[in-house]
Amino acid sequence: MRHSPARVAGEVGREALILGKIVLVTGVARGLPGRFVRRMLREPDVDRVIGVDAVEPEHELGGAEFVRADIRQPAIGKLLAETGADTVVHMDVNGTPLGSGGGRGTVKETNVIGTMQLLGACQKAPALRRLVIKSSTSVYGGAPRDPAVFSETTPPKSLPSGGFAKDAVEVEGYVRGFARRRPDVAVCVLRFANILGPCADSPLAEYFALPVLPTVIGYDPRLQFVHEDDAVEVLRIAAGEPRRATDNSGTFNIAGDGVLLLSQAARRLGRPTLPLLLPALTWTRSALRFTGITDFSPEQVRLLTHGRVVATRQMRDTLGFHPTYSTAEAFADYVRDRGPGLLPPEALARSVDRLAAMLPTGRGQS
Amino acid sequence: MADAKVIPFGEEPRSRRRAARRTDRADAAERAGTGRPALKPVPAQREDPPGPVPGTVRPADEGEGARPAAGGWERKLAQGLNFLRRRVTGEYEVDDFGYDAELTEQVLMSLLRPVYEKYFRVEVKGIENIPDTGGALVVSNHSGVLPLDGLMLQVAVHDHHPAERNLRLLGADLVFMLPVVNELARKAGHTLACAEDAQLLLERGEVVGVMPEGFKGLGKPFSQRYKLQRFGRGGFVSTALRARVPIVPCSIVGAEEIYPMVGNARTLARLLGLPYFPVTPTFPLLGPLGAVPLPTKWTIQFGEPIPTDGYSPEAADDPMLMFNLTDQVRETIQHTLYRLLVQRRSVFF
C-alpha cells in the first residue's frame, strides 16, 4: 500500500533516497527538538535537516538550517515543496507556551491549527514518505473508571475536556485522517509519558521544581517517566527506515519501565508534600499562576489525582525500542540534575540511622 | 427465613478429601524441607501439627507471634527501623497497578490480621486448590454491606497459602473514586474490575480475586442471605478462558451476618451517589458505634479448581459456553455455602 502513490511522488521519493534524506523538524526553538535535530545530523543517511519554528532558537542547531516560519501560516506548504523534505517530524505540540510569549490561546492555536496547516501541506507534498508526530499519553485522560494500564487500543472512558490533552486528542484525529488520505506515507504517532531531562521543559518537570509539592488528599497517583535521551532515540528510530522485523508506522506508547508513586517521587526528590483538598489545589494553582511561578493546567491536576500508566509492549515488540532508563532511573537522573530539596533523603536516612544507633539493638544493623 | 431452606447435599466423601490433603501436605513439607532449605523455611513452620480437625487450618495456632525467638522484639525493632528508613527515602518498589508489596506485608496485613484471627476467627479450608505458581481466578460470593469479605479473603490467601501468594482483588469503580480508599486499595494490590486489568494480571501469573455479584450481593437485604445473586454478565469466565487459567470457586460463610441489613434508604443513597444506604438494627441509630460489625465466626472454603486450558482460544467468544461455565461456578459456590451452613454450629461460634 505504501508504494502506490502517484507516479511523480514515487520518482521524487526515489531521487530523495539516492541523495540522502531531507528531514524537516518543527518546534525547534524548544530544548528537546533542538537535541533531536543535532542527533539527526549525525545519521549517515541524512543529507539535510531543516528546523522550523516561529521564534529563533536560543540554542545551537549544529549544522542544521533554521527557517523562521509559523506553521499556522500557509508558508509552511511552500517551504515543504521547496525543500522536498521526505521526512517530517512534528514536535510543535506542547502543553506550555515557550518562555513568556503568549498564553494558552497561542499554544492551542499552534497545536491544533498548526497541525492542520502542516498536514495540509504534507498532503500536497509528493516527496513525503514519513511523518512522525510527538503526542502524549494524556490522550487517555485518566479517570477512576479507566483500567489501571492503558494500551494503545484502550478507548478512554472520559475524553479530556480541555487543555493540552484535548489538543493532543484532536491532533491525533487529524493525523488519522491524513494517514487515510495518504496511505503511501508511513505515519508514526509516539505517545510519550512525562519526559524528564536537562532540556525537557515539561510541565511536570516544572511542578517537581516547586519547593513544596501540592498534592491531592487521599490520592497517590502512579506516574511514568521517559528520559530525554530515550525520547531522542525513539524519535530517531521512528524517523528512520525500520530495522528488520520491526515496523515503525502506527501508534506507540513510550514510557520507561516501572512506576513511581507521587509520594515516592517526592521522597526521592527530598521535597515535602502539601496535601490539599481538590478545590484548594485549584486555588493554589491560580495563585501560582498569578505570581508567575508556574502554571499547572487542569489536566495536570488530573494526572496528579488519578495518575496514568501505559503498556509498552508495542514499543518493545513492534517498534523494537528498549529504553535505557527505567522510570525510576529517569527520575533519579532528574534528581541528580536538580539537587536535593528541603528534605534530602540522605539526611532522613541518616537521622533514622542515628535513631537506630541510640537503641541498643540497632548497632548490629546497617 | 432462618436457615430453613438449607438443603443438605449428599455427604461428600470427607475421608477421601482428608486423605488427599494429607498427601498434599506431606509433599509440601517435603518440598519445604529439601527444595529450598535456606531461603524459605516458613512453609514448614506454618504447617500446623495434626490438629483436632484435620484438613482445616486454625489461624489461632500460627502466625509470626507464635514462635518468638529470644530477643525477638529487638530484632523486630531493628526491622522496623530499616522499614522506616526505606519508607522515608522512597526506596521501595510498586508495580504497574500501584501494588506496594512491602507496605501490604508490613503494615496493612498486620492491621487486618487481628480482625481476621481474633474478631472473625476465620477458618480456611481447601487453600491447596489455589496453585503454587501461575495465574488463577478465585471467584467468591460477596456479602456483608462493607466489602470486609474481600479483605479477609486476601489475608486468608496470604497467610495460609504455602507459597505465600498475594490475592489481587478486583474492586468496583466506587472504590477508586473515593479518596483515601482508592489509594489504600491500589497499594494493597487491588485494581478496577475490568477485563483489561484482570487479563493483564492473570497473564503475569497473579492470583486474581473477583466477586461477580458486586453491589447486588454486597447490599442485599438480610432476608436473602446466602442466596447468590446474578453473576454479572459472566465476564470473569471469558477472561479466565482467554488467559487459560483455572477458576477456583470460593464460598465465604459468616460475612452475611456482620451487618444485618434490614432496610435500604434509597433516597439518601441516591443523594450520596452510593449504590445503597444500609439500615441495620444499630447503624444510623447508634451512629458510628452502629458501624461496628457483629463478631460472627467465618469459614472460607476454596473449591476444586475448574480447568480452562482444555478449551480452544475461540471458546472465550462463545456465549453458550460462557453461560454454562458461569452457572457451573455459581452452583458450586451455592452448594458449598449450603453445606457449610449445615455444618455450622452457630453464627457466632
Side-chain angles (χ1 to χ4, degrees):
Chain A
M1 281 299 274
R2 206 175 293 155
H3 302 290
S4 60
R7 184 160 299 275
V8 189
E11 266 154 29
V12 177
R14 207 155 36 239
E15 196 186 332
L17 211 70
I18 297 160
L19 291 173
K21 285 164 57 143
I22 303 170
V23 184
L24 188 134
V25 184
T26 64
V28 290
R30 288 176 193 254
L32 185 68
R35 265 197 73 179
F36 172 64
V37 164
R38 292 196 292 276
R39 176 70 188 80
M40 280 314 271
L41 284 170
R42 298 212 306 272
E43 282 293 286
D45 61 337
V46 171
D47 214 35
R48 280 173 78 192
V49 181
I50 302 139
V52 179
D53 209 323
V55 284
E56 196 93 23
E58 285 168 9
H59 46 78
E60 273 294 305
L61 283 184
E65 305 156 42
F66 173 72
V67 179
R68 186 165 172 169
D70 192 337
I71 58 167
R72 287 170 294 175
Q73 306 298 331
I76 189 75
K78 216 182 293 168
L79 178 69
L80 209 55
E82 276 170 14
T83 54
D86 52 277
T87 305
V88 171
V89 182
H90 181 35
M91 297 180 70
D92 212 351
V93 182
N94 295 294
T96 46
L98 180 65
S100 56
R104 165 77 198 129
T106 327
V107 176
K108 185 181 169 69
E109 212 166 278
T110 309
N111 288 347
V112 180
I113 307 296
T115 304
M116 285 176 80
Q117 199 58 257
L118 181 72
L119 291 176
C122 286
Q123 202 172 328
K124 293 266 158 32
L128 187 73
R129 306 287 303 276
R130 198 171 289 283
L131 173 69
V132 180
I133 307 282
K134 170 182 162 272
S135 182
S136 151
T137 54
S138 59
V139 296
Y140 296 114
R145 301 189 60 183
D146 280 318
V149 181
F150 293 102
S151 76
E152 284 82 351
T153 50
T154 313
K157 288 275 175 351
S158 57
L159 277 170
S161 55
F164 169 62
K166 195 182 179 198
D167 295 356
V169 170
E170 286 174 357
V171 164
E172 283 199 11
Y174 293 129
V175 171
R176 269 193 297 277
F178 171 80
R180 262 199 312 276
R181 289 190 292 271
R182 278 291 298 269
D184 57 308
V185 177
V187 177
C188 182
V189 178
L190 299 174
R191 291 177 177 163
F192 285 97
N194 305 290
I195 302 174
L196 287 184
C199 290
D201 51 351
S202 70
L204 204 66
E206 271 176 40
Y207 167 80
F208 279 121
L210 292 172
V212 176
L213 305 177
T215 60
V216 188
I217 287 184
Y219 293 90
D220 201 357
R222 295 159 298 136
L223 305 172
Q224 267 180 325
F225 303 113
V226 194
H227 195 272
E228 201 182 281
D229 296 354
D230 283 328
V232 170
E233 182 61 15
V234 74
L235 282 163
R236 186 191 66 79
I237 290 177
E241 289 298 315
R243 274 176 298 158
R244 271 189 59 202
T246 65
D247 184 7
N248 63 1
S249 57
T251 304
F252 301 98
N253 291 332
I254 309 295
D257 294 341
V259 163
L260 276 183
L261 298 179
L262 178 59
S263 60
Q264 206 179 358
R267 283 173 208 171
R268 288 186 184 193
L269 189 58
R271 295 195 197 272
T273 53
L274 177 67
L276 297 170
L277 283 171
L278 206 49
L281 186 70
T282 319
W283 300 331
T284 314
R285 199 190 118 224
S286 337
L288 284 173
R289 188 172 48 190
F290 187 70
T291 51
I293 297 170
T294 181
D295 176 21
F296 46 102
S297 54
E299 56 110 14
Q300 192 81 2
V301 174
R302 200 168 176 183
L303 174 70
L304 294 177
T305 312
H306 300 299
R308 195 176 300 130
V309 172
V310 293
T312 51
R313 195 187 285 173
Q314 288 290 323
M315 171 185 87
R316 289 162 192 288
D317 297 352
T318 313
L319 192 61
F321 172 67
H322 300 273
T324 43
Y325 290 84
S326 71
T327 287
E329 285 162 356
F331 192 72
D333 199 48
Y334 173 83
V335 174
R336 262 197 302 280
D337 213 48
R338 295 286 160 127
L342 295 170
L343 292 171
E346 294 80 22
L348 285 176
R350 264 201 306 279
S351 42
V352 174
D353 287 345
R354 218 170 301 140
L355 186 68
M358 272 193 286
L359 298 162
T361 59
R363 272 175 212 141
Q365 295 287 326
S366 64
Chain B
M1 262 330 264
D3 296 336
K5 292 217 170 138
V6 167
I7 309 156
F9 271 83
E11 239 343 90
E12 56 127 12
R14 286 194 70 155
S15 50
R16 212 175 62 202
R17 266 179 50 221
R18 210 177 297 165
R21 191 158 299 133
R22 277 221 191 90
T23 51
D24 274 3
R25 201 166 261 244
D27 283 353
E30 204 173 52
R31 242 181 299 128
T34 57
R36 28 182 188 175
L39 276 171
K40 291 232 169 185
V42 192
Q45 279 183 9
R46 282 183 176 228
E47 293 299 322
D48 48 20
V53 193
T56 62
V57 184
R58 296 197 68 92
D61 294 346
E62 56 156 39
E64 260 76 352
R67 270 165 249 262
W73 69 271
E74 292 185 344
R75 213 180 54 235
K76 258 188 194 156
L77 196 66
Q79 275 171 1
L81 282 169
N82 267 341
F83 172 71
L84 182 71
R85 192 180 196 280
R86 283 193 298 275
R87 297 314 291 189
V88 294
T89 51
E91 293 302 321
Y92 49 90
E93 301 278 323
V94 294
D95 80 353
D96 287 357
F97 296 85
Y99 169 46
D100 188 337
E102 195 183 41
L103 186 78
T104 307
E105 296 255 317
Q106 310 269 349
V107 180
L108 301 179
M109 283 294 162
S110 319
L111 290 176
L112 288 173
R113 202 165 283 126
V115 181
Y116 174 90
E117 287 176 355
K118 302 279 160 18
Y119 199 78
F120 294 129
R121 296 146 290 146
V122 184
E123 195 177 322
V124 178
K125 298 176 177 179
I127 190 77
E128 72 282 351
N129 287 318
I130 298 176
D132 283 358
T133 53
L137 186 66
V138 176
V139 181
S140 157
N141 60 321
H142 205 14
S143 57
V145 179
L146 289 181
L148 291 178
D149 50 354
L151 298 176
M152 293 301 119
L153 188 61
Q154 189 179 6
V155 180
V157 174
H158 179 268
D159 282 9
H160 294 294
H161 199 279
E164 287 183 57
R165 305 207 64 174
N166 188 60
L167 186 72
R168 307 293 298 266
L169 283 169
L170 303 181
D173 43 8
L174 183 66
V175 172
F176 298 97
M177 279 181 206
L178 298 172
V180 183
V181 175
N182 83 90
E183 186 182 337
L184 287 174
R186 284 247 174 257
K187 286 182 178 170
H190 309 171
T191 191
L192 183 74
C194 62
E196 294 95 336
D197 282 7
Q199 180 118 16
L200 203 58
L201 280 171
L202 290 172
E203 279 169 7
R204 291 181 187 193
E206 301 275 0
V207 182
V208 178
V210 66
M211 292 159 160
E213 287 174 275
F215 288 122
K216 294 190 297 297
L218 201 59
K220 64 177 178 289
F222 189 60
S223 57
Q224 298 205 358
R225 61 193 180 279
Y226 298 114
K227 276 194 208 144
L228 288 187
Q229 305 295 301
R230 183 166 59 86
F231 260 28
R233 276 161 278 179
F236 69 94
V237 172
S238 54
T239 306
L241 280 175
R242 285 210 178 87
R244 304 176 85 78
V245 297
I247 299 173
V248 182
C250 171
S251 314
I252 302 176
V253 166
E256 292 272 16
E257 290 94 353
I258 56 172
Y259 297 110
M261 183 164 149
V262 291
N264 181 1
R266 280 176 214 281
T267 322
L268 195 56
R270 207 168 304 138
L271 275 176
L272 294 172
L274 299 171
Y276 53 86
F277 189 89
V279 178
T280 71
T282 53
F283 172 52
L285 211 63
L286 300 181
L289 200 66
V292 177
L294 296 178
T296 55
K297 161 99 178 122
W298 289 30
T299 308
I300 299 179
Q301 163 100 57
F302 296 95
E304 292 274 322
I306 300 167
T308 57
D309 46 6
Y311 299 98
S312 62
E314 306 87 69
D317 298 318
D318 177 0
M320 228 40 230
L321 179 70
M322 218 80 334
F323 285 127
N324 286 342
L325 271 175
T326 309
D327 278 350
Q328 188 190 340
V329 175
R330 192 170 174 275
E331 293 291 297
T332 311
I333 296 173
Q334 182 73 78
H335 289 177
T336 314
L337 280 177
Y338 285 145
R339 204 180 57 236
L340 290 171
L341 285 173
V342 170
Q343 289 168 1
R344 180 165 75 162
R345 280 171 297 163
S346 122
V347 175
F348 296 104
F349 301 103

